[in-house]
């Protein structure tokens, strides 16, 4: 294995391929590692949605899911573990990076145990949020998550908040490395003017922005309520939706927002839209990091948001954006109004946000952090013995 030297690593990445911050992060990390000469193998039930085709040193291995009549519920964990063991064996992986403990780290640990000792990859597990904040407290998952975190070779979380919550809720005693999310934008393809034209936003209108998978925890209902209170009324709200927006159409109409809320679903060329926005609006009730806020920061766009979870680590209140208490739509609307009606302050916060994004949450910083963590994990002793595949 090449892991103990500075030679390129062979890394398997297991992530959810669907629209969501963890899949986006895992995909971009794989691309950045491949660009640095490492060999990357993505393993999932579908090709991650932002993963480009035909990229040097990037491979994708689909997991086939069978629907045996004997199984009342389809099983993914076992075929995933077998595929991980096969890819590890055939390509000599140094490590598997599992995004989420269950089922990904669980499957990776099983794969490790299936392989003969000299072929076993190390397993690094990154927690993104719900493993800890939601499933950790579920009696049907908590013990499996704890086991995965104890048996894995290295654990990372995407914020200090999530590290503390993982220690508190799951009782993990081992060291946890905080490695923040990162975002390095690609160059937009269209101009800001062209995108605003497509959206029907005129030069004198301000464009607010919300991006999420619309899960209940994102409180899109509150985003809309706050937007309905924002001044000036000539502003519009762009929602980049990683899910079906239909359920919120009644809110849009009830709040008198018809024509002012523009929705685009499952967008991949997000940079085109990010260059066209003026202010981010987020009302999440829980969030371990909030990649969408960072994506806006990279385009010098500040956000107003609820101060929950890891968001205060991303937004420095009053400096790179404004934070309000969770659930307080009046405060959220007031904060948005303050920044929309004060272009100089908005620009100041936007510039500071962009600088902070580059200094703290960019690929050069974070990819190096992951690499040094991988090498540390690979250099450490093997945890356990097992049989051969
Ligand atoms: O937020 C979601 O619903 C999706 C989830 C995911 O799998 O992407 O997001 C989590 O991971 C992101 C990437 O690390 C973070 O930016 C999000 O804050 C986190 N979501 C929650 O903690 C609710």
């Amino acid at each position: 294995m090449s892991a103990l030297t500075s030679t390129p690593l062979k890394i398997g990445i297991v992530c959810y391929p669907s629209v969501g911050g963890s899949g986006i992060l895992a995909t971009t990390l794989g691309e950045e590692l491949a660009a640095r000469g490492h060999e990357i193998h993505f393993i999932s039930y579908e090709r991650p949605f932002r993963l480009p085709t035909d990229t040097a040193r990037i491979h994708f291995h689909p997991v086939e899911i069978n629907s045996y009549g004997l199984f009342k519920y389809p099983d993914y964990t076992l075929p995933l573990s077998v595929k991980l063991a096969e890819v590890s064996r055939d390509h000599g992986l140094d490590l598997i990076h599992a995004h989420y403990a269950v089922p990904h780290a669980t499957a990776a640990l099983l794969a490790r145990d299936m392989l003969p000792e000299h072929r076993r990859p190390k397993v690094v597990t990154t927690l993104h949020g719900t493993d800890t904040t939601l499933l950790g407290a579920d009696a049907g998952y908590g013990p499996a998550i704890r086991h995965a975190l104890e048996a894995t070779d290295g654990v990372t979380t995407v914020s200090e908040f999530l590290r503390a919550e993982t220690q508190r809720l799951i009782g993990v005693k081992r060291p946890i490395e905080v490695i923040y999310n990162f975002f390095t934008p690609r160059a937009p393809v269209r101009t800001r003017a062209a995108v605003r034209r497509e959206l029907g936003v005129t030069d004198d209108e301000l464009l607010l922005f919300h991006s999420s998978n619309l899960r209940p925890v994102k409180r899109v209902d509150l985003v809309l309520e706050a937007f309905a209170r924002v001044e000036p009324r000539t502003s519009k709200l762009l929602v980049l939706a990683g899910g079906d927006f239909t359920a919120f159409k009644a809110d849009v109409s009830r709040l008198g927002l018809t024509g002012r809320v523009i929705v685009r679903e499952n967008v991949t060329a997000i940079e085109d839209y990010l260059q066209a926005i003026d202010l981010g609006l987020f009302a999440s009730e829980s969030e371990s990091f909030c990649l969408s806020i960072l994506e806006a920061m990279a385009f010098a766009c500040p956000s107003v948001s609820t101060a929950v979870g890891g968001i205060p680590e991303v937004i420095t209140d009053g400096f790179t954006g404004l934070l309000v208490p969770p659930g307080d739509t009046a405060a959220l609307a007031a904060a948005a109004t303050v920044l929309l009606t004060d272009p100089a302050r908005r620009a100041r916060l936007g510039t500071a946000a962009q600088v902070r994004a580059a200094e703290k949450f960019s690929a050069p910083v974070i990819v190096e952090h992951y690499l040094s963590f991988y090498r540390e994990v690979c250099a450490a002793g093997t945890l356990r013995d097992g049989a051969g595949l």
Side-chain angles (χ1 to χ4, degrees):
M1 282 201 205
S2 52
L4 298 180
T5 70
S6 59
T7 53
L9 294 171
K10 294 183 179 183
I11 301 164
I13 295 183
V14 200
C15 64
Y16 287 118
S18 50
V19 185
S22 65
I24 291 167
L25 190 278
T27 305
T28 321
L29 177 59
E31 285 182 73
E32 293 282 348
L33 290 165
R36 287 162 175 76
H38 303 281
E39 185 179 309
I40 305 301
H41 296 264
F42 282 93
I43 302 106
S44 192
Y45 56 87
E46 263 170 26
R47 194 178 177 85
F49 94 112
R50 277 198 200 167
L51 185 65
T53 45
D54 292 335
T55 306
R57 291 178 294 280
I58 290 190
H59 310 270
F60 171 61
H61 308 269
V63 179
E64 275 168 40
I65 304 166
N66 293 299
S67 50
Y68 290 115
L70 184 63
F71 290 171
K72 186 170 174 192
Y73 305 104
D75 169 54
Y76 178 54
T77 310
L78 292 179
L80 174 61
S81 68
V82 169
K83 181 60 77 178
L84 283 167
E86 279 173 14
V87 174
S88 294
R89 180 198 57 198
D90 296 347
H91 297 273
L93 297 188
D94 294 301
L95 71 89
I96 296 172
H97 188 169
H99 293 264
Y100 279 107
V102 287
H104 296 158
T106 306
L109 294 170
L110 198 48
R112 190 182 69 182
D113 286 354
M114 284 183 218
L115 290 161
E117 199 173 335
H118 66 285
R119 288 188 168 197
R120 274 182 214 154
K122 296 296 173 99
V123 178
V124 166
T125 303
T126 290
L127 295 173
H128 285 273
T130 42
D131 273 352
T132 296
T133 55
L134 187 69
L135 299 179
D138 184 325
Y141 284 95
I145 293 171
R146 193 169 307 111
H147 169 265
L149 297 181
E150 277 162 6
T152 198
D153 298 291
V155 181
T156 82
T157 58
V158 299
S159 59
E160 294 284 353
F161 158 80
L162 191 56
R163 169 162 65 185
E165 284 298 88
T166 303
Q167 287 161 339
R168 185 176 74 85
L169 295 170
I170 307 190
V172 175
K173 300 271 187 296
R174 66 179 299 164
I176 296 177
E177 186 87 354
V178 174
I179 307 185
Y180 285 118
N181 284 333
F182 69 95
F183 177 61
T184 301
R186 302 169 206 219
V189 175
R190 294 184 286 157
T191 63
R192 173 179 163 99
V195 174
R196 286 172 74 101
R197 226 175 6 257
E198 176 222 304
L199 298 172
V201 178
T202 59
D203 285 349
D204 51 359
E205 284 176 329
L206 290 158
L207 184 58
L208 284 92
F209 159 77
H210 175 83
S211 167
S212 73
N213 53 18
L214 313 183
R215 285 200 303 134
V217 74
K218 306 294 173 181
R219 297 309 304 262
V220 176
D221 56 331
L222 300 187
V223 170
L224 295 171
E225 255 178 52
F227 178 55
R229 293 164 166 238
V230 160
E231 298 290 341
R233 312 281 297 169
T234 48
S235 53
K236 287 186 170 157
L237 171 68
L238 169 65
V239 179
L240 293 188
D244 184 359
F245 190 77
T246 311
F248 300 101
K249 285 185 177 162
D251 284 343
V252 170
S253 142
R254 176 179 57 83
L255 292 162
L257 296 174
T258 306
R260 290 182 61 206
V261 177
I262 311 153
V263 180
R264 294 289 181 271
E265 282 177 8
N266 300 323
V267 164
T268 46
I270 52 159
E271 287 84 358
D272 280 4
Y273 292 98
L274 292 172
Q275 66 170 335
I277 60 177
D278 299 304
L279 183 68
L281 188 60
F282 296 89
S284 298
E285 62 186 26
S286 170
E287 202 76 65
S288 62
F289 185 92
C290 198
L291 198 57
S292 301
I293 290 176
L294 175 59
E295 290 173 338
M297 287 167 72
F299 280 83
C301 173
S303 289
V304 294
S305 171
T306 43
V308 295
I311 288 181
E313 294 169 61
V314 182
I315 294 180
T316 313
D317 191 21
F319 181 64
T320 61
L322 297 178
L323 296 175
V324 304
D328 191 341
T329 49
L332 197 60
T337 300
V338 161
L339 292 188
L340 289 175
T341 53
D342 186 345
R345 185 163 179 212
R346 195 172 71 244
R348 224 170 29 247
L349 265 59
T351 304
Q354 193 173 39
V355 169
R356 183 167 161 78
E359 283 177 358
K360 208 154 160 76
F361 309 122
S362 66
V365 179
I366 301 300
V367 176
E368 280 314 311
H369 194 166
Y370 270 117
L371 270 171
S372 68
F373 187 66
Y374 290 163
R375 293 200 190 278
E376 196 183 301
V377 164
C378 287
T382 303
L383 280 180
R384 44 172 64 200
D385 296 334
L389 184 71

